[in-house]
């Protein structure tokens, strides 16, 4: 039998590369820097859709959203569409999903033989207010664009706690011996809003971030409807500074998670 290499894919969420050091940003990212230096960086890559579920399901299926029919975050990937997890399982791999993938609907596997740590977002087509209140508490209204700046700062959040659980589960899985080659996907929710980072990291970036170039005067090429939304949204520069500081802090913490998983995978 031909030996097959173990494969691990780490997927973060709402992660802008331009904030990291390796791409000229101010966020301290030594682990990502090292991967970029010794690996391959795609500087012309683009998403098949600027929305979570359509993009993720395109990644999983290898098909554009126009082919899957998934065009919003409440769409379900049909069980009849095979995924890369099915392909790796057929090739003799043990397929493992640890953490976030944003599957919607009853099927939360789609070819993964193991699913560790469920998703932070509800698998229901339309999550109820009661469910969101139970799982998100005071952060309930911070998980969408309209309320994402309701809570900003340093401290703990459901996102941080979720990611800690994902990383812990992944390290534990990698500590076990396995008979089959591994195809593992580790998914975190960071650095997705709400904009709350570990306190020390939040404070570090407060005097290092600035106002983005398009904040005061949105560029003319923006869609008129989007321009109106931006103009009606928060125009407080202090909010922008604090949100960007928290975002950088979340990226730094994510980089630490990347290092933890990389080290665990390297000795596997």
């Amino acid at each position: 039998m031909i030996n097959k290499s173990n494969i691990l894919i780490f997927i973060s969420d709402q992660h802008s590369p331009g904030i990291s050091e390796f791409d000229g940003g101010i966020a301290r990212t030594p682990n990502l820097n090292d991967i970029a230096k010794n690996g391959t960086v795609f500087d012309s890559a683009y998403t098949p859709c600027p929305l979570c579920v359509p993009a993720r399901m395109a990644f999983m299926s290898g098909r554009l959203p126009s082919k899957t029919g998934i065009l919003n975050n409440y769409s379900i990937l049909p069980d009849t569409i095979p995924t890369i997890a099915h392909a790796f399982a057929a090739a003799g791999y043990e397929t493992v999903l640890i953490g976030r993938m944003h599957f919607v609907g009853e099927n939360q596997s789609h070819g993964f033989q193991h699913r560790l740590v469920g998703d932070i977002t509800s698998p229901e087509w339309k999550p109820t207010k009661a469910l969101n209140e139970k799982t998100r508490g005071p952060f309930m209204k911070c998980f969408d664009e309209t309320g994402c700046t309701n809570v900003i700062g340093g401290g703990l959040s459901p996102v941080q706690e979720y990611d800690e659980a994902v990383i812990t589960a992944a390290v534990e899985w990698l500590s076990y011996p396995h008979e089959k080659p591994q195809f593992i996907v580790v998914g975190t929710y960071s650095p997705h809003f709400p904009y709350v980072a570990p306190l020390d990291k939040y404070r570090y970036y407060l005097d290092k971030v600035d106002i983005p170039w398009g904040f005061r005067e949105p560029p003319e090429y923006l869609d008129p409807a989007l321009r109106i939304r931006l103009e009606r949204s928060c125009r407080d520069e202090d909010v922008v500074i604090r949100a960007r500081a928290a975002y950088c802090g979340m990226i730094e913490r994510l980089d630490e998670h990347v290092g933890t998983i990389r080290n665990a995978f390297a000795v596997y």
Side-chain angles (χ1 to χ4, degrees):
M1 179 178 177
I2 299 175
N3 290 329
K4 298 177 179 178
S5 299
N6 297 310
I7 298 171
L8 188 145
I9 299 175
F10 192 112
I11 304 178
S12 54
D13 199 316
Q14 240 171 239
H15 187 173
S16 172
I19 304 297
S20 300
E21 283 178 319
F22 73 86
D23 201 32
I26 65 171
R28 298 176 292 188
T29 53
N31 294 292
L32 292 175
N33 295 349
D34 189 59
I35 292 173
K37 179 180 178 180
N38 297 291
T40 300
V41 176
F42 296 93
D43 57 7
S44 297
Y46 63 93
T47 178
C49 182
L51 194 60
C52 187
V53 173
R56 286 173 175 271
M57 297 309 104
F59 165 78
M60 287 298 301
S61 66
R63 303 183 185 187
L64 291 170
S66 59
K67 300 299 182 182
T68 63
I70 298 174
L71 303 174
N72 60 54
N73 279 348
Y74 302 106
S75 297
I76 297 173
L77 181 67
D79 292 344
T80 53
I81 295 181
T83 69
I84 54 173
H86 288 114
F88 276 102
Y93 279 79
E94 188 170 18
T95 56
V96 188
L97 173 59
I98 308 174
R100 181 161 176 73
M101 183 52 74
H102 209 156
F103 287 138
V104 178
E106 184 175 345
N107 187 350
Q108 290 290 298
S109 298
H110 290 283
F112 287 103
Q113 297 157 330
H114 305 279
R115 179 79 195 265
L116 310 179
V117 184
D119 221 313
I120 190 172
T121 47
S122 171
E124 297 179 9
W125 182 64
K126 279 286 188 179
T128 64
K129 179 180 179 181
L131 178 61
N132 283 340
E133 287 179 339
K134 180 180 179 181
T135 58
R136 299 174 181 178
F139 290 88
M140 185 185 73
K141 296 182 179 180
C142 302
F143 280 76
D144 59 41
E145 295 86 349
T146 57
C148 64
T149 58
N150 285 356
V151 178
I152 304 174
L156 288 175
S157 74
V159 172
Q160 292 182 53
E161 293 182 350
Y162 173 80
D163 286 354
E164 295 290 343
V166 169
I167 300 306
T168 298
V171 170
E172 183 177 5
W173 180 267
L174 289 168
S175 71
Y176 301 146
H178 300 284
E179 294 182 359
K180 292 183 176 182
Q182 299 291 294
F183 174 72
I184 303 171
V185 176
V186 177
T188 62
Y189 199 64
S190 287
H192 194 290
F193 49 69
Y195 297 111
V196 177
L199 183 57
D200 61 328
K201 294 175 172 53
Y202 171 69
R203 287 175 172 170
Y204 174 80
Y205 291 105
L206 267 177
D207 63 352
K208 296 175 176 61
V209 296
D210 54 15
I211 302 297
W213 64 270
F215 176 75
R216 297 185 180 92
E217 296 183 12
E220 293 295 333
Y221 59 74
L222 284 183
D223 178 82
L226 181 57
R227 284 181 60 85
I228 292 174
R229 286 185 60 187
L230 289 174
E231 290 167 359
R232 290 177 177 176
S233 63
C234 175
R235 306 301 295 171
D236 188 337
E237 294 189 0
D238 178 65
V239 170
V240 176
I241 292 294
R242 291 189 290 111
R244 286 170 66 84
Y247 184 71
C248 288
M250 286 191 286
I251 288 181
E252 182 176 335
R253 180 57 181 147
L254 176 70
D255 183 80
E256 294 172 350
H257 288 324
V258 169
T260 297
I261 295 300
R262 189 185 185 198
N263 291 337
F265 187 66
V267 299
Y268 175 70

